[in-house]
Amino acid sequence: AQSVTQLDSHVSVSEGTPVLLRCNYSSSYSPSLFWYVQHPNKGLQLLLKYTSAATLVKGINGFEAEFKKSETSFHLTKPSAHMSDAAEYFCVVTGKGNAGGTSYGKLTFGQGTILTVHP
Amino acid sequence: NAGVTQTPKFRVLKTGQSMTLLCAQDMNHEYMYWYRQDPGMGLRLIHYSVGEGTTAKGEVPDGYNVSRLKKQNFLLGLESAAPSQTSVYFCASSSPGGPNEQFFGPGTRLTVL
């Protein structure tokens, strides 16, 4: 079984200040973890992913996340927020579903964190 | 490449009406998925397919049916729409196995009155 908890439903920052979006996970396997971003009225775009290589993962638009197994966390950070970062962010854990013996990439989504960036 | 496309973008239905949502992908992906997104609940998997001619139930399959007659298309049907099915529906596709990135379409916003 796997689950994801995003610890903040809303985060508000000023432009130019750091961003921290928190995510804790639970997984029976060695997990792979993603962060997706969704801008208003748009689909989901992959920001970054962790797949058991380096624990510090760099993504697009200056975002990065650190996998901490001891804390079961995968927090998303950015040193300096930009107005264009305003969006909803989803932490996602992947596991192995099973469909008639064929494994597939089952995604479990967190509830989402809405990031607001003030001028 | 268009990636993953969804038709229509918006739809309003009356209770009891039926409709079909179409998803198409041009990345030759084996796996395709239908999700619904509701406020504060992230995305929940409705149905998925691991190949042409195969489908399986996800977390919230009740009230929906799907078909995968062609590898590039995945259809989601509502036979008798209910207000509880008001949601934003996303289609996604991925390569076989896991954990591979899923590529998402732009979504269909459905309102059932």
Side-chain angles (χ1 to χ4, degrees), chain A residues 36-80:
Chain A
Y36 278 87
V37 60
Q38 183 181 28
H39 287 92
N41 300 313
K42 300 289 186 184
L44 281 79
Q45 180 185 18
L46 182 69
L47 268 183
L48 50 81
K49 64 180 178 181
Y50 166 77
T51 56
S52 75
T55 56
L56 182 62
V57 181
K58 294 188 184 299
I60 61 173
N61 300 334
F63 284 94
E64 63 182 36
E66 186 171 8
F67 174 73
K68 292 187 176 180
K69 186 175 181 179
S70 61
E71 299 176 10
T72 61
S73 68
F74 190 57
H75 301 334
L76 182 69
T77 59
K78 182 174 181 178
S80 176

Side-chain angles (χ1 to χ4, degrees), chain B residues 6-11 21 87-90 106-110:
Chain B
Q6 294 182 230
T7 308
K9 289 185 169 51
F10 303 93
R11 187 72 185 268
L21 282 67
S87 188
V88 182
Y89 292 86
F90 287 97
T108 295
R109 187 173 296 274
L110 175 66

Side-chain angles (χ1 to χ4, degrees), chain A:
Chain A
Q2 58 196 39
S3 65
V4 176
T5 301
Q6 292 182 240
L7 300 170
D8 307 291
S9 58
H10 291 82
V11 170
S12 181
V13 301
S14 297
E15 192 173 21
T17 64
V19 175
L20 170 63
L21 306 183
R22 299 181 295 164
C23 172
N24 286 351
Y25 70 90
S26 172
S27 176
S28 304
Y29 304 96
S30 295
S32 292
L33 294 150
F34 298 158
W35 275 98
Y36 278 87
V37 60
Q38 183 181 28
H39 287 92
N41 300 313
K42 300 289 186 184
L44 281 79
Q45 180 185 18
L46 182 69
L47 268 183
L48 50 81
K49 64 180 178 181
Y50 166 77
T51 56
S52 75
T55 56
L56 182 62
V57 181
K58 294 188 184 299
I60 61 173
N61 300 334
F63 284 94
E64 63 182 36
E66 186 171 8
F67 174 73
K68 292 187 176 180
K69 186 175 181 179
S70 61
E71 299 176 10
T72 61
S73 68
F74 190 57
H75 301 334
L76 182 69
T77 59
K78 182 174 181 178
S80 176
H82 191 273
M83 295 296 290
S84 61
D85 295 328
E88 188 164 16
Y89 293 79
F90 293 96
C91 183
V92 181
V93 63
T94 74
K96 292 183 180 180
N98 227 321
T102 302
S103 68
Y104 75 101
K106 181 183 189 303
L107 300 188
T108 299
F109 283 78
Q111 301 90 331
T113 299
I114 295 172
L115 176 65
T116 302
V117 182
H118 298 287

Side-chain angles (χ1 to χ4, degrees), chain B residues 43-113:
Chain B
L43 274 71
R44 293 180 292 168
L45 184 65
I46 304 171
H47 286 281
Y48 62 94
S49 167
V50 298
E52 183 178 321
T54 71
T55 63
K57 295 180 180 179
E59 302 171 65
V60 289
D62 294 342
Y64 305 95
N65 57 75
V66 287
S67 64
R68 183 100 180 267
L69 298 179
K70 294 182 179 181
K71 184 177 181 178
Q72 63 268 34
N73 295 338
F74 195 29
L75 278 63
L76 178 71
L78 287 73
E79 289 188 348
S80 179
S84 61
Q85 294 177 304
T86 294
S87 188
V88 182
Y89 292 86
F90 287 97
C91 177
S93 69
S94 71
S95 299
N100 289 320
E101 175 188 356
Q102 291 186 13
F103 293 82
F104 286 83
T108 295
R109 187 173 296 274
L110 175 66
T111 302
V112 182
L113 302 175

